[in-house]
Amino acid sequence: MKDESPLTGGRLLLQQLRPVRAASVVALLAALAGVAATLAGPLLIQRFVDRAGAGADESALMAVALIYLAVAAAGTTVRVISGYLAARAGWSIADGLRRRLLRNAAVERPVLETEGRQTGAVLEEIDGNSDIVGTAFAEAGFRMVANVVTAVGILAVMVVVVPAAGTGITLLTAVMFFAFARLTRRATRRFGAARQEQAEFFGFVGDGLAARDDLLPLDRAEWATDATRLRLDSLFRVEGRAYMAGRSLWPLAQLFFALSLGLALGFGLRALGHGDVTVGTLTMLYLYVNLLQEPLEKISSQAEQLQRMMAVLTLSARTLDREGTVPAHAGAPAGEPPTGPQTVSFEKVTFGYGDEPVLRDVTFSVPAGGSLGIVGPTGAGKSTVVNLLCGIAAPDEGRVTIGGVDAAAIPPEQLAHQLTVLSQQAHLFADSLRDNITLHKEGIPTERIWEVLERLGAADWVRALPEGLDTRVGTGGRQLSEGEAQLVTGARALVHPGGVLVIDEGTSRLDPEAERSWAAVVGTLMRDRTVIMVAHRTETLRDVDGVLVLRDGRVAEPVSGLLKGDLDGAGAAS
């Protein structure tokens, strides 16, 4: 039975720990072995001092000294091993969380929800949060446990040796850890708020860089810089409050150490005066109190890192656990997806991104192998039609079907076999031309790629490239013209064939050469498929079987054949 309880930061950490639990256990055991070596040091010094005071021979003292050196060397070795394993486990956890958050944003979350957020903010939540978790776990996770165990061991020894001092210091420690817990909860909340503020800041920076080409001609590039400075001021205030909340543990640790040292030396000297303890025991007591300072100071700084970690784990858990994920496609047919052209239908479809519908009672049907052009003014709902066809969104009312099956109920991997989307605004990855065409899908032979390029009339152009299909394009590689990029887009669509082709022209701002290239790509891809073309230029609709005009989210005119008058009317609507 599926666990329906909400995902928390602690549960998320345990889930990410599972793949590295063996390394984590070994790292923890090594850390505890280092603690044992640390606690043994003052005991050996006590023995050395007491034996020296009792007149022990040189060989006995040398034996104690050698044991001390061996224990110290062993402690250093196991601490190095623990640190190495902790670092490996921490970064494995970070990488696992990074992949999980990226998959959630890129695959599992509704596309419209992801597109509605700033890219910089999404990237900061994925990479920034994962980095914080990895660093905190590697640098503070096991060390925090080791320092707590060290403190508890020291307190236990002091209670046995000097009960009055040990009991007093133990009570002080309990009070300090209670205060730590209260301050930690407050600091964690503030670190969570700071992380959200950071994500919004990086989202704004990303938007400013993306809009650079628009801002420079308007002489508004300085506005982005000024606005960034104001946002940095706000971020500084939020991060400052979080930092102060986390660092408030440090002065508390210093106060505790001062009080503990006074108690230990006061009671120790009194016991020495009464003959209850030896000089070696008093030395050991001093060393333990002095040794207690280091773990407590480290606990205060490590607690800050762990507060950050728990804050971002809580935020990440909410992201992964939110409702509204892509539907489970329970109604999809089993078996192999159908091939060839499919009938596409909208049946009384109403849909809105909020309270206000974008489409209202839209009905049309395209028979298998047929074609339909959709035109209309900006905001008419053309892009929403594409989103519903691609299963990105589901209708609020009515049905969108492909081959008689609800589009939103078809699993993405099956829908990819049935439907291909062609857009003028194709993204080119900084990768080889081959991988930009295949999108790293295995099993596509080189002969198939060349066959597709021949159909598009692009084979000679690709052969002329320095490394042919292996030529790197995009950022850091060969820059492609609009027409060349459109040929890559068309090759993707042909290499990944589907029975339904959705063409989204995206923009009409193409130069004549790019327009001719786009028309050739579209003409090639329209063969032997059901075609729905969302157009901004009626010239591209001359080869479709009918035109549907949308206005204000409604079908303004019934589907008509492409007579000259129909084109003129549709053009006016666009």
Side-chain angles (χ1 to χ4, degrees):
M1 182 177 178
K2 185 180 177 181
D3 186 3
E4 298 295 338
S5 57
L7 183 63
T8 62
R11 290 183 61 196
L12 177 59
L13 178 60
L14 290 176
Q15 290 175 3
Q16 298 305 126
L17 264 172
R18 287 171 190 162
V20 293
R21 56 182 176 270
S24 299
V25 169
V26 175
L28 180 59
L29 291 176
L32 294 178
V35 170
T38 299
L39 293 175
L43 290 171
L44 292 170
I45 291 175
Q46 177 208 21
R47 176 169 296 187
F48 183 90
V49 171
D50 285 343
R51 287 192 175 186
D57 58 39
E58 185 177 337
S59 60
L61 294 177
M62 183 62 69
V64 175
L66 290 175
I67 294 172
Y68 177 84
L69 290 175
V71 170
T76 300
T77 301
V78 294
R79 280 191 289 270
V80 170
I81 293 172
S82 175
Y84 171 73
L85 292 175
R88 286 193 59 181
W91 291 114
S92 295
I93 289 171
D95 288 342
L97 181 61
R98 186 177 285 111
R99 289 192 299 270
R100 193 167 171 181
L101 289 171
L102 179 59
R103 177 177 176 80
N104 179 269
V107 179
E108 297 172 355
R109 303 300 305 171
V111 174
L112 298 178
E113 179 182 323
T114 303
E115 289 181 347
R117 302 196 59 214
Q118 296 166 310
T119 302
V122 175
L123 290 176
E124 176 62 15
E125 286 184 0
I126 293 171
D127 195 64
N129 286 357
S130 301
D131 187 67
I132 287 174
V133 172
T135 302
F137 192 88
E139 297 181 357
F142 296 123
R143 295 180 187 179
M144 180 78 157
V145 174
N147 285 324
V148 170
V149 172
T150 300
V152 171
I154 291 172
L155 292 173
V157 171
M158 286 194 293
V159 168
V160 172
V161 176
V162 184
T167 302
I169 294 173
T170 301
L171 290 175
L172 280 176
T173 304
V175 171
M176 188 193 71
F177 274 107
F178 176 77
F180 268 24
R182 296 293 298 270
L183 292 171
T184 294
R185 284 196 292 270
R186 185 181 67 174
T188 299
R189 290 193 298 269
R190 290 189 175 181
F191 280 128
R195 286 302 300 156
Q196 291 178 317
E197 188 82 10
Q198 287 169 346
E200 292 176 6
F201 170 76
F202 282 107
F204 178 80
V205 171
D207 286 350
L209 292 173
R212 182 173 179 271
D213 291 344
D214 293 325
L215 294 174
L216 282 174
L218 298 173
D219 193 27
R220 297 299 295 157
E222 288 295 331
W223 164 82
T225 304
D226 293 339
T228 299
R229 186 170 61 249
L230 293 175
R231 287 174 176 264
L232 274 173
D233 291 341
S234 174
L235 177 60
F236 176 79
R237 288 192 295 271
V238 175
E239 287 186 323
R241 287 193 292 269
Y243 175 81
M244 292 304 296
R247 296 306 294 171
S248 60
L249 304 179
W250 187 84
L252 186 63
Q254 295 300 308
L255 175 62
F256 167 81
F257 171 71
L259 294 173
S260 298
L261 185 61
L263 282 173
L265 290 180
F267 282 103
L269 289 171
R270 182 182 177 186
L272 181 65
H274 287 85
D276 296 331
V277 296
T278 64
V279 174
T281 301
L282 183 61
T283 303
M284 177 191 70
L285 188 64
Y286 170 77
L287 290 174
Y288 271 134
V289 174
N290 193 56
L291 193 62
L292 189 60
Q293 181 183 17
E294 183 179 359
L296 291 177
E297 286 183 346
K298 288 184 176 179
I299 286 172
S300 68
S301 61
Q302 290 160 356
E304 181 184 356
Q305 286 184 287
L306 295 178
Q307 288 160 6
R308 291 178 182 270
M309 182 181 77
M310 292 311 301
V312 299
L313 281 171
T314 299
L315 292 174
S316 299
R318 290 174 187 167
T319 298
L320 295 170
D321 203 41
R322 273 202 322 270
E323 293 183 358
T325 53
V326 175
H329 314 291
E336 292 295 320
T339 59
Q342 302 290 312
T343 299
V344 174
S345 297
F346 272 55
E347 304 171 9
K348 297 184 178 300
V349 170
T350 296
F351 174 80
Y353 298 105
D355 295 333
E356 186 68 20
V358 177
L359 295 180
R360 299 175 178 85
D361 199 30
V362 172
T363 298
F364 66 83
S365 182
V366 186
S371 57
L372 175 69
I374 300 177
V375 295
T378 300
K382 302 185 298 297
S383 297
T384 301
V385 169
V386 176
N387 290 336
L388 291 169
L389 273 172
C390 295
I392 292 174
D396 297 328
E397 298 177 18
R399 298 178 71 213
V400 177
T401 63
I402 299 175
V405 179
D406 284 347
I410 303 176
E413 64 275 9
Q414 194 174 76
L415 189 61
H417 287 281
Q418 296 179 248
L419 183 142
T420 303
V421 179
L422 181 66
S423 172
Q424 289 178 344
Q425 305 302 308
H427 179 78
L428 289 179
F429 294 92
D431 211 332
S432 69
L433 183 62
R434 180 195 307 273
D435 290 330
N436 266 282
I437 292 173
T438 64
L439 297 179
H440 290 271
K441 183 177 182 181
E442 298 180 359
I444 299 178
T446 301
E447 293 77 12
R448 172 62 179 161
I449 299 174
W450 283 114
E451 176 189 334
V452 164
L453 293 173
E454 290 285 358
R455 286 185 60 185
L456 292 171
D460 292 339
W461 162 66
V462 175
R463 290 192 183 98
L465 294 175
E467 298 179 64
L469 287 172
D470 295 319
T471 301
R472 185 180 178 86
V473 298
T475 304
R478 188 184 189 280
Q479 298 300 306
L480 301 186
S481 67
E482 281 187 301
E484 291 168 339
Q486 288 166 4
L487 289 172
V488 174
T489 305
R492 283 178 188 168
L494 282 176
V495 163
H496 302 86
V500 178
L501 175 65
V502 178
I503 302 173
D504 185 0
E505 288 195 337
T507 179
S508 59
R509 295 180 296 174
L510 296 178
D511 59 59
E513 181 181 352
E515 273 196 44
R516 287 192 294 272
S517 172
W518 176 250
V521 169
V522 169
T524 301
L525 292 171
M526 285 180 63
R527 300 169 192 165
D528 305 320
R529 302 187 188 206
T530 303
V531 177
I532 296 177
M533 181 184 294
V534 175
H536 294 262
R537 302 182 316 282
T538 54
E539 291 82 357
T540 59
L541 297 178
R542 294 186 180 277
D543 295 326
V544 300
D545 300 332
V547 173
L548 181 146
V549 180
L550 284 177
R551 287 196 186 94
D552 297 324
R554 299 181 184 275
V555 177
E557 300 174 20
V559 177
S560 58
L562 282 184
L563 303 175
K564 183 66 171 65
D566 294 328
L567 281 175
D568 292 340
S574 300

